[in-house]
Amino acid sequence: MEITKKILIEHFARFDKIYLAILFMLVIGSFLVQNDVFEDKKLLNSASYSHVISSQEISFSNLHYLPIFIFDKLLGDYFYLFPILIGIMFLVVLYYFVSVTSKDKFFRFVFIGLIITTPATIYALTSLSIVIYLAMLIILGFLMLNYKNKIINYFSILPLAIATYFDFFSSIIVLIFVGVYFLIKRKKY
């Protein structure tokens, strides 16, 4: 029994990218099937519609809607795929972040698998929730901050600064994360 368990763990750790991609496709595929069955090519919630309407007129005060505006024009009737594209980008950044911070492949598989299947993530991946954008920018900023190249370290300010632009709450979250990061970094050295 112990040998089978060990083989299974090694198998999932070895092919984690494949299994995580399948899991992501199943979760997001259920969203697409639901839309297809109900013939509803719409986003899930009213907040998503509010974001789309707000993105129709771009100004300095709502510049964070620029990606939505661009993809709305590019995708047209297939705009409902935009959250899925953002979800794929988020999971790639998250996978790379977990790969850098943890060398245990099975932990990486379980952690990202749990992230994919949580209701909050499913909701954020299938709507235009700013949570996914915020998480992706924060993770990207910290990845760049921990990179060995000093120039990339300096450019880590860009995703973190963009993350503070969404609203007051996201600014507080970014400031807390950056503060904790530098406290931990200071204690190490």
Side-chain angles (χ1 to χ4, degrees):
M1 183 73 169
E2 188 66 32
I3 295 173
T4 307
K5 189 175 169 182
K6 185 177 179 180
I7 291 172
L8 190 62
I9 289 173
E10 288 174 1
H11 176 76
F12 280 117
R14 184 174 176 199
F15 298 107
D16 62 339
K17 290 178 188 173
I18 295 169
Y19 286 113
L20 290 171
I22 291 170
L23 181 62
F24 179 75
M25 285 188 281
L26 286 172
V27 168
I28 298 302
S30 64
F31 166 71
L32 294 174
V33 168
Q34 172 192 353
N35 277 346
D36 196 42
V37 166
F38 294 111
E39 297 178 359
D40 184 20
K41 303 287 190 235
K42 298 178 183 171
L43 303 166
L44 278 182
N45 58 16
S46 59
S48 297
Y49 292 113
S50 172
H51 292 310
V52 172
I53 289 174
S54 297
S55 73
Q56 297 306 313
E57 291 186 28
I58 298 296
S59 66
F60 186 73
S61 64
N62 70 349
L63 201 57
H64 56 281
Y65 290 123
L66 187 61
I68 295 172
F69 174 78
I70 292 169
F71 278 94
D72 186 26
K73 298 301 179 203
L74 287 175
L75 297 174
D77 289 342
Y78 298 102
F79 182 71
Y80 66 94
L81 296 174
F82 177 67
I84 297 167
L85 296 173
I86 294 296
I88 291 170
M89 290 180 1
F90 166 72
L91 289 174
V92 167
V93 170
L94 180 66
Y95 184 86
Y96 184 69
F97 179 74
V98 175
S99 297
V100 168
T101 58
S102 173
K103 299 302 176 196
D104 185 3
K105 289 184 176 186
F106 186 70
F107 170 78
R108 178 175 56 209
F109 171 74
V110 171
F111 179 76
I112 295 175
L114 287 174
I115 294 285
I116 291 172
T117 57
T118 58
T121 305
I122 293 170
Y123 174 79
L125 288 174
T126 57
S127 66
L128 289 176
S129 171
I130 69 163
V131 173
I132 288 297
Y133 307 117
L134 184 63
M136 185 173 59
L137 288 169
I138 290 172
I139 291 170
L140 186 63
F142 282 107
L143 273 174
M144 293 171 74
L145 195 57
N146 285 316
Y147 206 73
K148 293 183 186 347
N149 188 335
K150 286 288 185 193
I151 293 172
I152 293 177
N153 292 150
Y154 294 132
F155 278 109
S156 69
I157 193 73
L158 291 175
L160 294 172
I162 292 169
T164 62
Y165 190 70
F166 289 110
D167 59 7
F168 181 73
F169 178 70
S170 60
S171 301
I172 298 295
I173 294 291
V174 171
L175 289 175
I176 289 171
F177 281 152
V178 169
V180 168
Y181 172 80
F182 282 114
L183 280 175
I184 291 171
K185 194 89 164 166
R186 195 169 103 202
K187 286 185 180 181
K188 273 188 178 178
Y189 298 111

